[in-house]
Amino acid sequence: ETGVTQTPRHLVMGMTNKKSLKCEQHLGHNAMYWYKQSAKKPLELMFVYNFKEQTENNSVPSRFSPECPNSSHLFLHLHTLQPEDSALYLCASSQEYGFTDTQYFGPGTRLTVL
Amino acid sequence: EDQVTQSPEALRLQEGESSSLNCSYTVSGLRGLFWYRQDPGKGPEFLFTLYSAGEEKEKERLKATLTKKESFLHITAPKPEDSATYLCAVQSGNAGNMLTFGGGTRLMVKP
């Protein structure tokens, strides 16, 4: 595996379900990010982790819960979602947060909330 | 608050018809401007980073330029495989080093 991988690629869930999205980066980076991309809207940053510590939470509802067990893995735990949470969820990584370095994105998870 | 506006929202070109995409930005202390390409259903793919006004970068048929208020992505003699959404993002010290993205330009190149 190379770059940034995400699983699953597609997910359909009901509003009462609990699911998790997984991201893994194979680039030796220390910063990882979750973004949300909705139709007709710019990419929205959700969370940033730098050296496993959460450094940014962009006013995200508590029904989204991130977890970063190490610098290579990032999870997004989902519970009690709403239909408006349906979107493409993108994971990205960079060498280190706080510097002008490039973020590399994974392929995304297409989430549909029924 | 950092702001990024991309125009046009959509652009249709014939193969070989050169054009430019615009990214206008308002930031306090630009640290970097990034261009990405995104194909449908996929994550953004990094193209260029520009750091200061006057800087230019090229890759195949693409050339990115930067002024103090905007960036252009010039596409020379495009091919159908250049069809994608092109995203612009800025990073400034004002926003805590986060990236602020524009809405993107969807480019369609017809053979």
Side-chain angles (χ1 to χ4, degrees):
Chain A
E1 294 279 14
T2 59
V4 180
T5 59
Q6 292 186 242
T7 56
R9 294 294 312 278
H10 301 272
L11 178 62
V12 179
M13 59 187 290
M15 290 191 287
T16 58
N17 291 158
K18 288 185 180 182
K19 296 286 184 183
S20 295
L21 310 185
K22 178 183 175 182
C23 175
E24 183 173 3
Q25 58 93 3
H26 308 267
L27 301 169
H29 290 164
N30 297 300
M32 297 188 77
Y33 310 77
W34 280 117
Y35 285 87
K36 176 182 179 182
Q37 188 174 36
S38 305
K40 306 292 185 182
K41 293 179 69 174
L43 266 78
E44 301 173 71
L45 179 67
M46 300 175 72
F47 302 102
V48 181
Y49 278 82
N50 196 40
F51 291 94
K52 302 188 297 178
E53 299 296 322
Q54 188 180 126
T55 56
E56 300 286 350
N57 176 339
N58 206 20
S59 303
V60 180
S62 60
R63 58 185 182 269
F64 295 91
S65 176
E67 179 189 1
C68 188
N70 55 61
S71 292
S72 298
H73 294 86
L74 185 65
F75 295 88
L76 188 62
H77 304 298
L78 316 171
H79 64 98
T80 324
L81 294 191
Q82 305 298 312
E84 59 264 29
D85 297 321
S86 298
L88 181 68
Y89 288 85
L90 292 161
C91 174
S93 71
S94 69
Q95 189 60 48
E96 188 173 335
Y97 186 65
F99 294 88
T100 309
D101 57 351
T102 301
Q103 293 182 23
Y104 294 90
F105 286 82
T109 295
R110 172 66 63 184
L111 174 67
T112 303
V113 181
L114 302 177
Chain B
E1 183 180 334
D2 297 346
Q3 292 188 336
V4 181
T5 303
Q6 292 188 245
S7 61
E9 288 189 13
L11 181 62
R12 294 176 186 266
L13 298 174
Q14 286 297 126
E15 184 173 2
E17 180 186 2
S18 302
S19 188
S20 297
L21 313 182
N22 178 264
C23 171
S24 297
Y25 63 90
T26 305
V27 299
S28 176
L30 180 72
R31 297 183 66 161
L33 185 142
F34 300 79
W35 281 99
Y36 287 87
R37 168 194 170 126
Q38 186 174 24
D39 292 299
K42 297 187 177 181
E45 175 189 346
F46 171 71
L47 293 174
F48 304 108
T49 308
L50 302 168
Y51 296 99
S52 58
E55 189 175 1
E56 299 182 352
K57 287 193 176 174
E58 288 188 64
K59 179 181 180 179
E60 296 180 355
R61 294 177 293 282
L62 301 177
K63 179 180 177 180
T65 62
L66 181 65
T67 72
K68 289 186 177 180
K69 294 186 175 181
E70 57 192 351
S71 177
F72 290 95
L73 185 65
H74 307 278
I75 303 178
T76 302
K79 298 182 177 181
E81 53 262 42
D82 294 322
S83 298
T85 295
Y86 290 85
L87 302 173
C88 168
V90 297
Q91 185 182 53
S92 73
N94 187 47
N97 300 309
M98 294 188 293
L99 285 183
T100 301
F101 280 85
T105 293
R106 189 160 71 97
L107 175 65
M108 294 155 281
V109 182
K110 300 292 186 182

